[in-house]
């Protein structure tokens, strides 16, 4: 969480930084700040979004061509003006912005207090600012050495950028566990937590790895470890474009991203799903295909929406490839003693490729000898780089905090992987493979048909805008979609919602049903349809309000529903790619009606880089 931007060059640093911070606001938006080094070290910061900081800089500009900025998602200390970054020590010699958590901050703080440091806020970052200052005071070391000595005392994670009053032409950044990259321009260098603030200036980037730092001056940059070993880094070329990170006429990124799914699902299959050749090519996992085909079992670890796609993956791998699968919350996986070894394969799913718990699960599994495959969206992200092999979902930048197009692209990749494995293991016949390949290739067109019903969903949303609770029910492949639908509503409209396997409703949630309770049922014409119809009857008998996502020929479901949204038919195992679309739209319109901040819901961040 938290976004960092830094700049050194010939432009007004505050312009570059404010623009960049706005692009990084998905990482946190409870306070923002900037430090410009121009002979003086000038800081402006405060509670609230980047726009508030921007307004205050308009009123009181800070000129200069070197600076750092931060948009915060609070961990230690409430969001207020004092806890906003940048932080300084007592002499205000260094200003620092930080993403991550300093786990031993309390021990360090007590030590520093004994030496006379006075703290004004509650953040762990302020400890770092004092620590660097204190190290320099005692050791008389230069700027970089002081940073290195200080960082060696730190336990925890950081992506950080530091400026120094005494060296106004130098910017130091360091990374351990929280992403940072350098953008290499012509006579200028950019720093950011991801590529979005950089792409309009340069497509040349250098990704910093853990325990590395960069010393950036007006003449260029030098990367070294915090133990002072110089490193030559590869310069990567970004493929992203500026259009991809703008709203393109939509009122919100979320709506844009929902609508993009026609293309993103196609992009994800392009060159991979070969209907004529009756094959699937996933180049990124070819080196580990043997391992995967012969794995004792597959484990999937992820968080949030990615965990929901993992659950769909479980059904897919078991049905299509006849392989045993376990899906884990990445955070739980790492904190128990997972029974995993070199006979197992772990698949980690992550849109951002930076989620701390998912990354930790990956490392844990690797240490135990398992092969780890990543399914990520962000190219060059830490998870993508640390896995043994992987498949990019090619959904393009996802900026709305509530994930939409990443979910469908992840499920598309999982479907292709399961089909490929099923075929290689001889459990999926050529005919069945072909039938599925054709059905999969038709999904984007069917998504388009569903999106054409957006107005109908918008009307339905009006009926339920002020409902205090929602229940989502699904079975089989659509149980994870029920979870995802409930999560989308919670995230952006702050309505309490629960997703449940429809049959489990009888074991608890049914007690909640009365005439005020909207119940969203995912009831498509499949082998569990009759059972879903019984569950709908049970809800109706208690006067619950049924809103169904169903097929046109499912006339019983339509008859029993107060509102029905119909979707085109497809193979049962592909239905999550369709049933989720109306649920995304429903949560979007309800959130808009409730005047919620759709793209930046309270308390959330898109990339959760703390544990
Ligand atoms: C956060 C985001 C969710 C996302 C989850 C996992 O909670 O708000 O939208 O699903 O993190 O993120 P990842 O990048 O690993 O998929």
């Amino acid at each position: 969480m938290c976004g960092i931007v830094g700049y050194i060059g010939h432009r007004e640093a505050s312009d570059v930084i404010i623009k960049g911070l706005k692009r990084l606001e998905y990482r946190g938006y409870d306070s923002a700040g900037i430090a410009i080094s121009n002979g003086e070290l000038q800081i402006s910061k405060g509670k609230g979004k980047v726009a508030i900081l921007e307004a205050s800089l308009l009123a009181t500009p800070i000129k200069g061509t070197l600076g750092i900025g931060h948009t915060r998602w609070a961990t230690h200390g409430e969001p207020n003006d004092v806890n906003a970054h940048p932080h300084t020590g007592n002499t205000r010699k260094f200003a620092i912005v930080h993403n991550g958590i300093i786990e031993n901050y309390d021990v360090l703080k007590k030590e520093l207090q004994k030496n006379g440091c006075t703290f004004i806020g509650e953040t762990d970052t302020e400890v770092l600012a004092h620590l660097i200052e204190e190290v320099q005071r005692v050791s008389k070391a230069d700027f970089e050495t002081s940073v290195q000595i200080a960082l060696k005392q730190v336990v925890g994670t950081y992506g950080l950028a530091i400026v120094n009053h005494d060296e106004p032409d130098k910017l130091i950044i360091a990374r351990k566990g929280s992403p940072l990259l350098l953008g290499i321009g012509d006579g200028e260098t950019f720093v950011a937590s991801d590529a979005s603030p950089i792409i309009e200036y340069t497509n040349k980037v250098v990704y910093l790895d853990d325990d590395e730092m960069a010393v950036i001056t007006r003449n260029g940059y030098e990367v070294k470890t915090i133990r002072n070993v110089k490193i030559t880094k590869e310069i990567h070329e970004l493929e992203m474009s500026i259009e991809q990170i703008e709203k393109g006429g939509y009122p919100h990124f979320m709506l844009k991203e929902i609508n993009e799914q026609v293309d993103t699902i196609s992009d994800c299959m392009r060159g991979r799903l070969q209907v004529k050749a009756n094959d699937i090519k996933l180049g990124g996992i070819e080196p580990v295909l043997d391992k995967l085909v012969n794995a004792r079992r597959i484990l999937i670890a992820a968080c949030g929406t990615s965990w929901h796609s993992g659950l769909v993956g479980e059904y897919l791998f078991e049905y299509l490839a006849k392989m045993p699968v376990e899906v884990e919350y990445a955070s739980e996986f790492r904190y128990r003693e997972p029974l995993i070894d070199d006979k197992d394969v772990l698949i980690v799913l992550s849109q951002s490729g930076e989620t701390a718990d998912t990354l930790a699960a990956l490392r844990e599994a690797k240490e135990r000898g398992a092969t780890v495959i990543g399914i990520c969206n962000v190219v060059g992200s830490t998870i993508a780089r640390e896995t043994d092999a992987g498949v990019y979902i090619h959904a393009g930048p996802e900026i709305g905090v509530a994930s939409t197009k990443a979910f469908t692209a992840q499920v598309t990749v999982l479907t292709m992987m399961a089909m490929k494995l099923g075929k290689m293991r001889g459990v999926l016949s050529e005919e069945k493979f072909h039938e599925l390949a054709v059905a999969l290739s038709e999904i984007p067109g069917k998504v388009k048909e569903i999106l054409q019903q957006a107005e109908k969903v918008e009307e339905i949303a009006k009926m339920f805008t002020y409902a205090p609770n929602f229940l989502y029910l699904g079975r089989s492949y659509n149980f994870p979609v029920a979870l995802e639908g409930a999560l989308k509503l919670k995230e952006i409209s702050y309505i309490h919602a629960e997703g449940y396997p429809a049959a489990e409703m009888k074991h608890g949630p049914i007690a909640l049903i009365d005439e005020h309770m909207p119940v969203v049922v995912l009831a498509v014409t499949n082998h569990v349809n009759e059972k879903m119809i019984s569950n709908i009857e049970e809800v109706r008998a208690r006067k619950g309000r049924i809103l169904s996502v169903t097929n046109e020929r499912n006339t019983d479901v339509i008859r029993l529903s107060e509102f029905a949204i119909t979707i085109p038919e497809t193979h049962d195992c592909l239905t999550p790619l369709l049933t989720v679309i109306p649920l995304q739209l429903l949560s979007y319109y309800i959130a808009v009606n409730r005047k919620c901040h759709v793209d930046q819901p309270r308390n959330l961040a898109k990339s959760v880089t703390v544990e």
Side-chain angles (χ1 to χ4, degrees):
M1 354 275 278
C2 302
I4 291 177
V5 181
Y7 177 74
I8 175 165
H10 43 78
R11 302 171 202 256
E12 271 308 332
S14 61
D15 293 347
V16 176
I17 292 169
I18 291 294
K19 212 167 180 189
L21 289 179
K22 283 188 174 168
R23 296 210 196 284
L24 289 182
E25 263 192 317
Y26 73 85
R27 302 179 69 86
Y29 31 81
D30 59 43
S31 42
I34 189 168
I36 302 288
S37 168
N38 55 8
E40 292 299 307
L41 207 55
Q42 289 184 281
I43 295 178
S44 175
K45 64 177 189 171
K47 184 178 171 180
K49 299 202 172 190
V50 176
I52 296 178
L53 174 68
E54 184 180 29
S56 98
L57 285 171
L58 266 180
T60 325
I62 310 180
K63 299 277 175 198
T65 53
L66 186 160
I68 54 176
H70 188 264
T71 177
R72 180 170 186 242
W73 185 88
T75 57
H76 296 59
E78 65 167 291
N80 60 26
D81 293 353
V82 176
N83 289 332
H85 299 215
H87 289 286
T88 58
N90 288 44
T91 64
R92 293 177 65 87
K93 195 171 162 197
F94 302 101
I96 179 167
V97 292
H98 165 227
N99 168 26
I101 291 182
I102 308 301
E103 288 168 12
N104 60 338
Y105 83 100
D106 205 29
V107 180
L108 294 171
K109 187 171 180 175
K110 288 194 178 114
E111 213 38 53
L112 289 161
Q113 278 167 329
K114 269 194 232 155
N115 295 348
C117 296
T118 320
F119 287 80
I120 53 171
E122 296 102 50
T123 67
D124 50 340
T125 310
E126 193 187 343
V127 175
L128 258 183
H130 283 279
L131 182 63
I132 296 168
E133 206 177 87
E134 186 62 7
V135 163
Q136 190 169 64
R137 188 185 67 79
V138 174
S139 68
K140 308 276 181 283
D142 62 18
F143 184 13
E144 10 177 324
T145 315
S146 303
V147 172
Q148 288 170 339
I149 297 172
L151 291 183
K152 280 186 226 152
Q153 298 179 41
V154 162
V155 178
T157 55
Y158 50 79
L160 47 89
I162 315 162
V163 287
N164 176 0
H165 172 271
D166 295 346
E167 294 195 53
D169 293 319
K170 193 179 274 181
L171 166 60
I172 293 185
I173 63 170
R175 161 184 177 151
K176 186 177 185 183
S178 304
L180 265 189
L181 50 89
L182 292 166
I184 315 302
D186 193 6
E188 55 186 349
T189 308
F190 304 81
V191 171
S193 305
D194 78 22
S196 57
I198 290 176
I199 189 66
E200 69 180 283
Y201 309 104
T202 175
N203 65 351
K204 293 193 172 46
V205 296
V206 169
Y207 297 102
L208 228 56
D209 285 305
D210 279 355
D211 294 314
E212 289 178 359
M213 62 190 284
V215 180
I216 311 160
T217 63
R218 297 196 182 271
N219 301 323
Y221 64 94
E222 188 178 54
V223 179
K224 45 175 77 173
T225 67
I226 64 160
R227 301 197 179 276
N228 210 28
V229 180
K230 285 194 186 140
I231 300 174
T232 309
K233 300 288 288 185
E234 194 184 336
I235 298 184
H236 295 261
E237 282 211 4
L238 291 172
E239 280 174 15
M240 169 185 198
S241 73
I242 189 80
E243 293 75 43
Q244 287 179 307
I245 53 172
E246 295 193 327
K247 281 192 199 142
Y250 285 94
H252 298 101
F253 280 111
M254 184 181 178
L255 188 60
K256 177 186 177 222
E257 288 157 7
I258 290 173
N259 278 282
E260 277 174 350
Q261 290 175 107
V262 179
D263 296 324
T264 51
I265 299 174
S266 298
D267 291 346
C268 179
M269 297 189 292
R270 183 161 306 118
R272 294 168 167 174
L273 177 68
Q274 301 175 348
V275 180
K276 271 204 193 125
N278 210 30
D279 200 4
I280 281 168
K281 247 190 131 35
L282 295 167
I285 54 164
E286 255 160 35
V288 296
L289 259 185
D290 255 5
K291 197 92 203 183
L292 192 52
V293 169
N294 299 308
R296 175 175 57 184
R297 65 184 175 149
I298 295 175
L299 288 108
I300 300 179
C303 303
T305 291
S306 296
W307 184 74
H308 295 156
S309 23
L311 285 180
V312 178
E314 178 176 19
Y315 285 86
L316 289 165
F317 281 113
E318 290 184 353
Y319 171 66
L320 297 171
K322 306 283 178 260
M323 291 186 80
V325 179
E326 280 167 45
V327 186
E328 309 266 355
Y329 282 114
S331 54
E332 290 298 314
F333 178 83
R334 67 165 303 197
Y335 286 117
R336 44 186 181 76
E337 285 287 309
L339 299 175
I340 181 167
D341 60 32
D342 59 356
K343 294 180 218 57
D344 302 313
V345 169
L346 175 75
I347 300 178
V348 285
L349 285 157
S350 176
Q351 186 286 127
S352 62
E354 300 294 349
T355 302
D357 284 321
T358 310
L359 184 57
L362 175 177
R363 288 176 178 162
E364 179 75 44
K366 256 181 126 174
E367 211 151 273
R368 288 167 189 258
T371 301
V372 183
I373 296 175
I375 299 181
C376 296
N377 191 27
V378 177
V379 176
S381 55
T382 311
I383 292 177
R385 286 184 293 138
E386 288 201 16
T387 41
D388 297 307
V391 183
Y392 281 119
I393 62 172
H394 294 318
E398 191 182 65
I399 294 169
V401 165
S403 183
T404 51
K405 62 177 180 173
F407 174 83
T408 45
Q410 286 169 339
V411 171
T412 305
V413 167
L414 289 165
T415 309
M416 291 191 290
M417 272 175 87
M419 285 170 65
K420 177 86 185 171
L421 285 188
K423 191 173 181 190
M424 289 179 75
R425 286 165 58 83
V427 293
L428 188 63
S429 69
E430 291 287 323
E431 296 71 44
K432 185 88 188 160
F433 187 97
H434 184 67
E435 192 189 301
L436 278 166
V438 172
L440 192 54
S441 70
E442 289 169 351
I443 289 291
K446 294 183 177 179
V447 168
K448 194 171 182 179
E449 278 181 51
I450 300 171
L451 289 169
Q452 280 157 357
Q453 297 183 64
E455 271 181 31
K456 181 174 177 189
V457 182
E458 193 175 0
E459 282 308 305
I460 296 173
K462 286 183 190 154
M463 310 294 161
F464 295 107
T465 296
Y466 298 104
N469 296 291
F470 258 79
L471 190 59
Y472 286 71
L473 301 178
R475 283 175 180 255
S476 176
Y477 291 98
N478 285 301
F479 157 54
V481 181
L483 295 180
E484 176 58 8
L487 177 65
K488 284 290 86 74
L489 191 70
K490 264 187 279 213
E491 282 178 307
I492 60 169
S493 71
Y494 319 140
I495 295 177
H496 172 248
E498 278 194 66
Y500 248 80
E504 279 291 309
M505 175 184 64
K506 297 186 285 293
H507 303 288
I510 200 163
L512 302 171
I513 295 174
D514 61 16
E515 69 273 25
H516 305 297
M517 176 67 106
V519 182
V520 179
V521 292
L522 305 173
V524 290
T525 43
N526 61 7
H527 62 294
V528 288
N529 197 31
E530 289 309 315
K531 304 275 179 230
M532 279 306 299
I533 291 175
S534 306
N535 298 136
I536 293 173
E537 292 283 19
E538 287 156 13
V539 174
R540 274 170 56 91
R542 287 153 186 89
K543 299 197 169 43
R545 302 182 67 182
I546 301 284
L547 197 177
S548 62
V549 175
T550 187
N551 307 117
E552 219 146 274
R553 85 182 148 99
N554 218 349
T555 46
D556 284 344
V557 172
I558 296 175
R559 179 177 49 78
L560 295 172
S561 308
E562 185 177 346
F563 299 98
I565 302 161
T566 55
I567 59 166
E569 304 216 9
T570 184
H571 191 284
D572 192 22
C573 71
L574 304 181
T575 52
L577 292 167
L578 302 183
T579 49
V580 75
I581 310 285
L583 305 192
Q584 296 169 343
L585 287 169
L586 182 70
S587 61
Y588 172 77
Y589 288 118
I590 290 180
V592 169
N593 293 344
R594 289 167 68 97
K595 304 206 178 353
C596 294
H597 204 313
V598 172
D599 286 333
Q600 294 172 349
R602 70 183 179 207
N603 303 341
L604 297 179
K606 182 136 193 85
S607 182
V608 181
T609 54
V610 295
E611 292 160 26

